[in-house]
Amino acid sequence: MIATPSFHSLGLLLLLSFFLGFAFEDFFAKTSSARPGGIRTFPLLSLGGGMLYLFDPTHLIPFTGGLVVLGAWLAMFYGVHLRERDEKGERNAGLVVLLLNVHAYLLGAVALALPHWVAVGVTVVAVLLLTGRDRLHTLARRIDMKEITTAGQFLILTGVVLPLLPAEPVTTLTSITPRQAWLALTLVCTLSYASYLAQRYWPRAARGLWMPALGGLYSSTATTVVLARQANADPASRRQALAGITLATGIMYLRILAIIAVFNLALARQLAVPMAGLAALALSIAALQYWLIKAPAAEAHDAAGRGNPLELGTAAAFAAMFVLISLASTWVKTEFGTEGIYWLAAIVGFADIDPFVLNLAQGGTAGIGDHAVAIAVLIAASSNNILKAGYALSFGGRATLPSGLILVGLAAGGVALALLLAGIKM
C-alpha cells in the first residue's frame, strides 16, 4: 500500500524546488545557450522523484529507474554541451547544470523520507554554491598548494590521530590519557593555525583582540603559549600578544564563574565579586596595553612569510610540559597526601583547573562548604596564572616579560582575595 505523504512534506518539496528553480534561472539568465532545468523543470523533477519513491519506498526500484532515465537524458545533453565553447574559447566541461537536475530529482525523496531540515539544508547549500561561483573561484585562485597541504596536516592531527588514541590512562603515574595529551597538542595547533589564517586572509580582524578572546573562552593557557611564541618570533605582533595574554586570563575568570553558576548558584554568588573584580582588572590592563604600547609600522604584515602555521614544535613542547606537570602533581599528592583542599587547589592549578572546578561546583568533595570551595577556586586560578607566567617567559623570553609580571600580579591578587575570604589579616 502506497504511503500518503503529509501536507507539510509536499508543501516543502514544492517550495524548495521552486526556490532552486528561481536561483537557477536567475544565475543563468545572461547566458544565450539553453540549459536543462529551471522554474518549471525542477518542480516537475522533484514531484516525479517523490512519486516514484512512494511507489516502492523499501526497494526503490521505480525511483532508481527514474534516476537512470534522467541520467541517460543528461548524458546526451552533456555530449552536446562539451562541443560548446565558453567566453574564453575553452570547452564547456562544467557539471553544475547536470548535478542540479539530479539534485532536484533526489529532492522529492529527501523531502518525503527524511527530516525536513535535511531537505532545506542541502538545497540551501546547493543554491549558495551555485550563486557563489565567482567568489569561490577567486578564493581558490588565492590559495596555493602549501595551504592545502597544511590544511591536510591539520585534519590528520585532529580527525585521524586524535580519535584513535586511547581515552584511558596507560600508566598509574598520571591520570592523563594519551588522547588528553594529544588534545593539548591539537589545541595549540588549532589556535596557531586559526591565527595564521586570520593574518593571511583577514588582516583587519587579525590585528584585533578577538582571537585571544575566543582562545580565553576555551583555554587561556594554550592561548598564552601561542601568543608568547608569536611575540618572540615576530616583534610586529608584540602589542597584540601582550594584550591578548592578559585578555585571555581576564576571560578565564569569567568563564570559571559562568561554569560554577550553572551548577552551584550559591557558590557563584560568593565568587562573583572577587572573580569579577579580577576579570575587570585584567581586562582593563589588556586595554591599556593595547592602547599604550606603540604599534609598529610592520604590524600589518603578511602572514605568508611565517614558518609552519601549525607551530608543531611549540605544540609538542606544550604537550610534553602538560604531561610532566601532571606527573609532578600526581607524585606530590601521592607522597605528601592532600592535607587540605587548598593544597590540592594549588597543585591542580598547574594542570587543568576546569575539571577541578566542575567537581567542586557539583559537590564532588564531601564535607567542604561553599566558603572553603570559593577559597580553593581562587587559589587554583592563581596557581594557573603562575603556570601561564612560566609559559610566557619560556616561549616568549624578554618579549613577554611584562605579561609574566602581570600574571604573577593577578595571581598575587587572587591569593590575597582568598586569604581575605579565609579571614586571615594581611
Side-chain angles (χ1 to χ4, degrees):
M1 182 176 179
I2 299 176
T4 303
S6 68
F7 176 78
H8 297 90
S9 297
L10 185 60
L12 180 67
L13 186 156
L14 291 173
L15 177 64
L16 292 177
S17 59
F18 274 112
F19 171 61
L20 187 63
F22 273 121
F24 183 90
E25 293 212 4
D26 182 68
F27 184 79
F28 291 109
K30 298 180 181 179
T31 59
S32 57
S33 59
R35 301 174 186 272
I39 191 63
R40 294 181 301 168
T41 304
F42 285 169
L44 288 173
L45 279 175
S46 297
L47 286 172
M51 291 172 60
L52 291 175
Y53 163 77
L54 291 175
F55 281 135
D56 185 7
T58 303
H59 301 96
L60 301 177
I61 295 177
F63 181 78
T64 304
L67 185 61
V68 171
V69 172
L70 175 63
W73 172 58
L74 293 175
M76 289 187 290
F77 163 78
Y78 193 62
V80 177
H81 182 65
L82 282 175
R83 294 193 290 269
E84 298 176 353
R85 300 285 176 174
D86 60 14
E87 58 272 11
K88 296 182 180 179
E90 297 179 356
R91 190 183 299 273
N92 274 327
L95 294 171
V96 173
V97 173
L98 283 69
L99 293 174
L100 287 175
N101 278 268
V102 173
H103 178 96
Y105 179 80
L106 297 177
L107 180 62
V110 171
L112 298 178
L114 298 178
H116 290 170
W117 66 266
V118 177
V120 174
V122 297
T123 304
V124 170
V125 169
V127 170
L128 292 177
L129 290 174
L130 171 67
T131 57
R133 181 188 66 178
D134 295 336
R135 290 188 293 272
L136 290 173
H137 285 319
T138 300
L139 177 62
R141 286 190 291 268
R142 289 182 59 191
I143 299 176
D144 56 28
M145 186 57 64
K146 185 176 69 174
E147 302 286 356
I148 303 299
T149 303
T150 301
Q153 294 173 350
F154 177 75
L155 291 174
I156 290 174
L157 290 175
T158 57
V160 177
V161 179
L162 182 62
L164 295 177
L165 292 175
E168 301 294 333
V170 295
T171 175
T172 58
L173 298 177
T174 178
S175 60
I176 297 297
T177 66
R179 184 175 296 180
Q180 288 175 319
W182 192 264
L183 182 61
L185 181 147
T186 303
L187 179 57
V188 174
C189 288
T190 301
L191 294 173
S192 180
Y193 190 39
S195 175
Y196 167 80
L197 291 177
Q199 294 176 52
R200 182 71 172 86
Y201 299 105
W202 197 6
R204 287 187 61 186
R207 290 195 295 270
L209 294 177
W210 67 273
M211 289 196 61
L214 292 177
L217 286 174
Y218 190 81
S219 173
S220 60
T221 306
T223 303
T224 298
V225 172
V226 172
L227 293 178
R229 178 70 179 84
Q230 290 181 4
N232 188 38
D234 184 9
S237 63
R238 180 173 177 269
R239 179 181 74 147
Q240 178 184 342
L242 295 180
I245 290 172
T246 310
L247 174 64
T249 298
I251 291 178
M252 176 201 71
Y253 289 117
L254 298 178
R255 185 190 80 234
I256 293 174
L257 186 61
I259 291 173
I260 292 174
V262 171
F263 297 99
N264 192 331
L265 192 57
L267 176 60
R269 289 194 186 99
Q270 292 200 34
L271 281 169
V273 173
M275 296 293 277
L278 289 169
L281 177 60
L283 296 178
S284 300
I285 294 174
L288 289 174
Q289 287 178 298
Y290 193 74
W291 289 333
L292 297 181
I293 297 177
K294 184 178 179 181
E299 190 176 42
H301 66 287
D302 187 359
R306 285 184 53 188
N308 182 4
L310 295 181
E311 300 285 5
L312 290 173
T314 301
F318 174 71
M321 294 176 71
F322 176 77
V323 174
L324 289 175
I325 289 170
S326 175
L327 289 170
S329 300
T330 303
W331 179 80
V332 169
K333 288 187 288 185
T334 301
E335 292 296 321
F336 301 102
T338 53
E339 299 177 357
I341 190 67
Y342 304 142
W343 286 108
L344 179 61
I347 292 173
V348 299
F350 285 93
D352 187 2
I353 65 174
D354 283 345
F356 174 73
V357 170
L358 280 171
N359 181 67
L360 292 180
Q362 297 180 77
T365 305
I368 302 296
D370 287 344
H371 186 72
V373 171
I375 297 171
V377 169
L378 288 171
I379 293 175
S382 298
S383 64
N384 187 253
N385 282 344
I386 297 295
L387 173 68
K388 287 183 290 189
Y391 280 145
L393 296 176
S394 298
F395 291 101
R398 296 183 60 183
T400 51
L401 179 60
S403 290
L405 295 176
I406 290 172
L407 289 171
V408 171
L410 289 171
V415 172
L417 289 173
L419 293 176
L420 186 62
L421 282 179
I424 299 177
K425 295 183 179 180
M426 298 295 296

